[in-house]
Amino acid sequence: MTTAKDLLIIAIEVDPSGPVGQGDLSLALAGAELIDLLGTRAVTLTGDRVLPAGDAVPEDRLLAEAVASLDREAPYETVDDWLWRRGRDLFAAYTAVLEEDGQLTRERRRRMSFAAPRTTVAESAARRRALHRWAADEPVILALAAAVGIESEQTEEEAVVTNDAVTTVLAAVHDAVMELEAVRRRRSFENAAFANVWRGA
């Protein structure tokens, strides 16, 4: 399992009906991928630029796709650009893979219900591992979860990340999620203003 998969399992398990949006999670999943690639030294950061650093291909299918998608020409891609490019529809990609692997299941609602099937986490070693990372207050998991609005009982002061490159990625995830929220609000205001124009016509 990877940090991205653990994060998705935690998001579904810990906050199944919470306000976490797919766009927010997609950005955080892209950040989780980058953190894992830093951990395996498949990439390095120079400032905020993501530089490929090795030829090894990860065993995980989605991480392998992430490596294959790296920009390998100078001036290289910024962390922010990576999050927005790689994060596009990443929630759907991870959900599909976890469902294929039997890690996620969709519970059917009662008959005559028009609600979408509820996604649940299957009991497995992967679930136990993800929840162990959460219960252990692992700083990276806590920070990624907090970026999308999932809070633990641990305070931010206790969740200390000491790796500068990882800190750079986490800060970029936080900023990207905030930017996405600002876009949502602006569109909401624009749509409301448009509706008011029509009502007054």
Side-chain angles (χ1 to χ4, degrees):
M1 295 294 286
T2 64
T3 298
K5 289 179 178 176
D6 288 345
L7 177 63
L8 182 55
I9 288 173
I10 288 166
I12 294 171
E13 181 76 12
V14 175
D15 199 20
S17 59
V20 180
Q22 293 185 13
D24 297 345
L25 265 174
S26 289
L27 290 167
L29 292 170
E33 285 186 336
L34 196 51
I35 288 169
D36 277 353
L37 295 180
L38 285 165
T40 60
R41 300 187 179 179
V43 301
T44 60
L45 291 191
T46 297
D48 67 342
R49 300 279 170 176
V50 182
L51 279 63
D55 298 323
V57 178
E59 292 183 8
D60 182 83
R61 185 199 327 173
L62 288 170
L63 271 187
E65 290 178 6
V67 169
S69 75
L70 287 168
D71 185 347
R72 297 182 180 275
E73 295 184 5
Y76 304 104
E77 194 170 34
T78 65
V79 174
D80 188 58
D81 288 342
W82 163 273
L83 295 177
W84 289 103
R85 177 184 61 78
R86 176 63 186 164
R88 185 179 297 276
D89 297 325
L90 203 55
F91 171 85
Y94 270 92
T95 299
V97 166
L98 288 178
E99 286 181 349
E100 182 181 318
D101 293 342
Q103 307 296 339
L104 297 181
T105 58
R106 291 186 183 270
E107 291 183 353
R108 295 189 177 278
R109 302 285 188 173
R110 292 180 178 178
R111 285 168 39 172
M112 301 301 293
S113 172
F114 296 100
R118 179 171 172 262
T119 301
T120 59
V121 182
E123 176 55 39
S124 65
R127 175 182 178 274
R128 291 190 295 273
R129 177 183 183 275
L131 294 182
H132 174 75
R133 293 182 74 180
W134 178 252
D137 294 332
E138 188 175 306
V140 167
I141 284 290
L142 290 180
L144 288 168
V148 298
I150 304 172
E151 300 290 345
S152 81
E153 296 178 358
Q154 167 135 297
T155 65
E156 284 190 21
E157 288 76 18
E158 293 172 320
V160 177
V161 177
T162 57
N163 184 295
D164 289 343
V166 172
T167 299
T168 297
V169 174
L170 291 172
V173 170
H174 180 271
D175 290 346
V177 171
M178 295 294 288
E179 183 180 344
L180 183 58
E181 177 59 24
V183 170
R184 286 196 195 103
R185 290 184 180 180
R186 185 171 66 248
R187 287 179 178 170
S188 177
F189 291 146
E190 290 172 350
N191 290 340
F194 184 76
N196 287 336
V197 168
W198 275 103
R199 286 194 202 99

